[in-house]
Amino acid sequence: MAVAMIEKRTKDGKVVQVIPGPILLLGAPGVGKGTQAKEIMAAWGIPQISTGDILRANIAGGTELGKKSKAIMDRGELVPDGLVNEMVADRLQQPDTANGYILDGFPRTLGQAKWLDSYLSAQYGALPVVAVSIKVGYTQLLRRITGRRSCPVCKSIYNIYLQPPKVDELCDLDGTPLTRRSDDTEEVFEERMRTYDSQTAPVVEHYRGLGRFEEVDGEQPVDAVAAAVMAAVLRLRG
Ligand code: AP5
């Protein structure tokens, strides 16, 4: 994996090294946060921290946190802030976060955003986040969610309509049968969208108001979205 430093060209043509720092990927269910986090991780060598993935790993592992979260997630609602903030605080202690990381699916409530802002301000002495919000229309989101499949081993993400594997229902990389998330039904998607509109859309406005925020059109091919997200981060890190 690449070293966690990225190159940026300044207005006068010089190339400077930039530390990626914390990057927030915001957006509704299915906009491509996980897909884009993996693109950035491969390009810049910083980890993806997906609260959804950590919660699902807890469910699979039968932990107390997993037991408390399963029914909430299957209804399309949010796990309580206190549990999620504690989980993120633990993850941010890991040494691989030193030069930056991508927060995917966190913060998702104003309570989580305020917790994160004060946690990072205390750690860095100033708020170092840059936030990129990905935008995709409702009909496309529904197709992305109901068509999503993922590899339980290597975590690659596919879509039976939009990004199908070479062989039906098998991972291109390791041949493992693909799985479908229990919350990826149309009914639960509708509830996740209601939750997003009422609780997470205000978080987008919170970071828009702080500046160091850009919006990207997510209805383009994956590599075009990735290029737009990374260009936005470089501008915001200026
Ligand atoms: P989480 O796992 O975070 O789900 P989400 O936010 O609903 O987002 P998704 O993972 O569904 O979508 P994504 O934007 O990552 O899209 P992806 O890249 O996979 O959360 C699940 C649940 O956990 C929550 O409902 C909640 O209960 C709980 N939770 C998590 N975090 C929490 C928190 N902070 N607080 C409280 N509770 C929390 O792409 C989707 C599909 O589209 C894929 O099939 C992909 O192949 C396809 N695709 C992606 N990009 C493109 C493209 N450009 N063109 C064509 N297809 C594309």
Side-chain angles (χ1 to χ4, degrees):
M1 192 173 273
V3 177
M5 288 288 270
I6 49 181
E7 287 189 343
K8 176 186 162 91
R9 193 171 288 277
T10 60
K11 279 183 190 146
D12 54 2
K14 281 191 200 139
V15 174
V16 293
Q17 298 281 316
V18 178
I19 293 178
I23 300 166
L24 309 188
L25 277 189
L26 305 172
V31 292
K33 301 181 295 295
T35 301
Q36 292 305 324
K38 287 178 175 54
E39 295 282 317
I40 300 173
M41 192 164 65
W44 290 349
I46 54 174
Q48 169 195 16
I49 301 178
S50 157
T51 44
D53 285 350
I54 301 174
L55 289 166
R56 280 184 288 278
N58 274 273
I59 293 172
T63 68
E64 272 311 303
L65 175 59
K67 285 177 194 153
K68 285 179 188 156
S69 306
K70 166 92 175 109
I72 299 173
M73 291 169 72
D74 282 345
R75 288 197 300 270
E77 296 168 6
L78 295 180
V79 176
D81 286 356
L83 295 177
V84 179
N85 294 349
E86 194 181 326
M87 188 178 91
V88 171
D90 278 354
R91 181 63 184 87
L92 295 184
Q93 303 297 318
Q94 302 297 316
D96 65 341
T97 60
N99 284 337
Y101 44 86
I102 309 137
L103 279 173
D104 157 10
F106 182 91
R108 241 176 160 102
T109 65
L110 281 176
Q112 291 177 15
K114 285 178 183 151
W115 174 85
L116 180 71
D117 292 355
S118 58
Y119 181 93
L120 293 178
S121 298
Q123 186 184 359
Y124 288 87
L127 187 58
V129 295
V130 295
V132 179
S133 174
I134 306 174
K135 298 274 286 185
V136 170
Y138 187 92
T139 310
Q140 171 74 351
L141 288 179
L142 178 60
R143 206 165 158 75
R144 288 190 183 187
I145 289 289
T146 53
R148 174 169 44 197
R149 302 288 184 273
S150 41
C151 173
V153 174
C154 73
K155 313 293 178 205
S156 295
I157 305 171
Y158 299 88
N159 190 290
I160 56 169
Y161 310 121
L162 305 161
Q163 296 187 301
K166 291 185 187 123
V167 180
D168 256 6
E169 302 291 339
L170 295 182
C171 179
D172 290 350
L173 302 182
D174 50 38
T176 307
L178 301 178
T179 54
R180 187 179 183 192
R181 275 170 44 176
S182 56
D183 59 348
D184 272 352
T185 62
E186 184 166 351
E187 191 187 24
V188 180
F189 167 70
E190 283 168 5
E191 185 56 34
R192 286 160 67 192
M193 283 302 289
R194 278 192 284 275
T195 304
Y196 177 82
D197 288 340
S198 62
Q199 300 196 57
T200 310
V203 173
V204 174
E205 296 315 311
H206 169 74
Y207 287 105
R208 193 195 303 274
L210 291 180
R212 306 184 77 176
F213 169 93
E214 284 203 29
E215 226 157 47
V216 161
D217 173 12
E219 291 204 32
Q220 313 174 72
V222 169
D223 52 354
V225 181
V229 170
M230 289 191 257
V233 172
L234 286 175
R235 276 192 298 276
L236 294 167
R237 279 273 169 252

